[in-house]
């Protein structure tokens, strides 16, 4: 006689069916992503022929990734931890991006700053190739030269004597831009320091509906931060963070990294309004990039 069925048997069969369905959907999603990659390659090849400047296709879309995760968190319900959902989707996003083309990460992670490695691994997943570098400049160089798709560098600090971000204050098309702030959904099990990181890449800064933009403002004359802040606010560019670097030559320019609480691109009329308010002060403004404002999940999402 076969053993009597337990109520657990039916539940386990239901779990097996759900697992099969999830797996089927993952394989279906992979097939769609591969088609997306083909279409993107065709579009960008055609645009390169028209412009006479063919470039490698861009597959990384940090803004879209943020929108996807925000949408999922807005609909999430039940006891399954929200943090776990984000980690699962982060693994999938990077894995699917790698289906479309090469993807590697260079992380500023010297021996005493391993927390940046953990934050990068949490965000980009467990299978993406990652290389530790000993300086932010090395991460920038890896992205510029194409040996890495993404670089992970420390969030700027006021006391940085030789700040890495000044190398991004450039209009050169091969200069990486800030594209994300890490962690995006909580620190997880990152070791060491709790300083945030920024991801840089050769992709454009795109709006998500809740963004920060980083402006590199180079001034030919000295101007107090108070006056600079007033001019920015009056122009509709509310600053949320400042860092300043002065050239060694006292007569040289000062460069301010200003984080603005909005999405700003090169066509934004507020930039022209700000430059106009400076009057005779020589100014050069570069958009260093930006990021989608990270999720703020409650600690109960771990429980």
């Amino acid at each position: 006689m076969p053993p009597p069925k337990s109520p657990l048997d039916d539940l386990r069969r239901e779990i097996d069916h759900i697992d099969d369905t999830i797996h089927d959907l993952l394989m279906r999603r992979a097939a769609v992503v591969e088609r997306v990659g083909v279409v993107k390659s065709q579009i960008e090849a055609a645009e390169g022929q028209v412009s006479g400047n063919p470039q490698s296709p861009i597959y990384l879309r940090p803004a879209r990734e943020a929108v996807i995760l925000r949408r999922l968190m807005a609909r999430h319900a039940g006891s399954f931890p929200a943090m776990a959902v984000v980690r699962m989707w982060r693994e999938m996003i990077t894995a699917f991006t790698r289906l479309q083309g090469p993807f590697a990460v260079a992380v500023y992670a010297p021996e005493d700053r391993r927390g940046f490695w953990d934050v990068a691994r949490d965000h980009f997943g467990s299978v993406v190739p990652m290389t530790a570098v000993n300086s932010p400049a090395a991460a920038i160089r890896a992205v510029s030269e194409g040996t890495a798709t993404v670089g992970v560098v420390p969030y700027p600090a006021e006391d940085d004597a030789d700040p890495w971000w000044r190398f991004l204050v450039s209009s050169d098309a091969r200069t990486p831009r800030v594209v994300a702030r890490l962690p995006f959904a909580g620190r997880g099990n990152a070791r060491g320091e709790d300083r945030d990181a920024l991801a840089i890449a050769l992709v454009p800064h795109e709006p998500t509906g809740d963004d920060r933009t980083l402006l590199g403002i180079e001034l030919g004359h000295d101007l107090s931060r108070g006056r600079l802040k007033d001019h920015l606010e009056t122009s509709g560019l509310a600053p949320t963070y400042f860092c300043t670097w002065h050239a060694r030559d006292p007569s040289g320019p000062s460069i301010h990294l200003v984080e603005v609480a909005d999405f700003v691109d090169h066509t934004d009329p507020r930039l022209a309004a700000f430059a106009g308010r400076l009057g005779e002060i020589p100014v050069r403004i570069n958009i260093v990039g930006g990021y989608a404002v990270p999720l703020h999940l409650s600690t109960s999402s771990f429980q």
Side-chain angles (χ1 to χ4, degrees):
M1 294 286 292
K5 288 186 178 180
S6 162
L8 286 177
D9 293 333
D10 290 336
L11 294 173
R12 287 167 179 158
R13 275 193 295 272
E14 185 175 358
I15 288 174
D16 289 343
H17 175 70
I18 292 170
D19 286 344
D20 289 347
T21 302
I22 292 172
H23 190 205
D24 287 341
L25 289 172
L26 284 172
M27 293 186 289
R28 179 180 168 188
R29 195 183 196 281
V32 173
V33 168
E34 289 173 336
R35 287 160 50 198
V36 168
V38 171
V39 172
K40 279 186 179 179
S41 296
Q42 293 171 343
I43 292 172
E44 300 212 4
E47 291 176 347
Q49 290 174 358
V50 172
S51 66
N53 183 31
Q55 296 180 342
S56 299
I58 297 173
Y59 300 114
L60 183 67
R61 294 288 304 279
R64 173 157 170 74
E65 295 170 8
V67 170
I68 289 172
L69 291 173
R70 286 176 182 164
R71 178 177 61 82
L72 292 175
M73 290 300 96
R75 70 191 298 275
H76 187 65
S79 60
F80 192 76
M83 296 283 293
V85 174
V86 173
R87 286 292 300 276
M88 292 167 64
W89 251 262
R90 285 300 329 163
E91 285 277 356
M92 289 195 304
I93 285 169
T94 301
F96 288 132
T97 302
R98 291 187 70 200
L99 290 177
Q100 301 177 67
F103 193 105
V105 181
V107 184
Y108 169 65
E111 289 295 334
D112 59 339
R113 309 300 291 274
R114 290 304 189 189
F116 292 121
W117 179 274
D118 294 340
V119 167
R121 180 61 79 194
D122 281 353
H123 190 79
F124 294 107
S126 59
V127 297
V128 66
M130 277 180 33
T131 302
V133 296
N134 287 324
S135 69
I140 295 170
R141 186 166 55 252
V143 175
S144 298
E145 296 175 353
T147 58
T149 314
V150 176
V152 175
V153 293
Y155 187 82
E158 183 65 34
D159 59 357
D160 288 341
D162 188 22
W164 60 264
W165 53 262
R166 66 189 179 91
F167 298 109
L168 270 56
V169 182
S170 169
S171 58
D172 189 324
R174 295 302 300 176
T175 301
R177 300 296 178 215
V178 173
V179 297
R181 182 168 180 167
L182 312 182
F184 185 73
R187 189 159 300 275
N189 293 313
R191 296 166 288 180
E193 72 288 326
D194 61 359
R195 185 172 173 183
D196 281 5
L198 294 176
I200 59 172
L202 290 170
V203 297
H205 173 40
E206 298 178 314
T208 69
D210 187 10
D211 301 280
R212 298 290 183 268
T213 300
L214 296 168
L215 303 178
I217 301 175
E218 185 174 348
L219 298 177
H221 293 170
D222 192 25
L223 184 71
S224 72
R225 278 218 220 169
R227 289 188 62 194
L228 180 60
K229 182 174 182 289
D230 288 344
H231 289 319
L232 286 163
E233 289 179 340
T234 303
S235 304
L237 299 167
T240 58
Y241 189 73
F242 270 94
C243 281
T244 300
W245 178 79
H246 295 280
R248 291 184 176 86
D249 181 355
S251 63
S254 62
I255 303 178
H256 303 268
L257 181 72
V258 180
E259 184 179 274
V260 174
D262 201 357
F263 176 81
V264 181
D265 65 14
H266 292 285
T267 65
D268 197 307
R270 292 175 293 181
L271 296 179
F274 166 68
R277 291 193 59 82
L278 294 176
E280 299 299 318
I281 298 177
V283 60
R284 183 168 62 184
I285 305 170
N286 283 284
I287 295 178
V288 176
Y291 60 85
V293 173
L295 296 168
H296 294 286
L297 302 180
S298 69
T299 55
S300 62
S301 60
F302 286 103
Q303 300 169 355

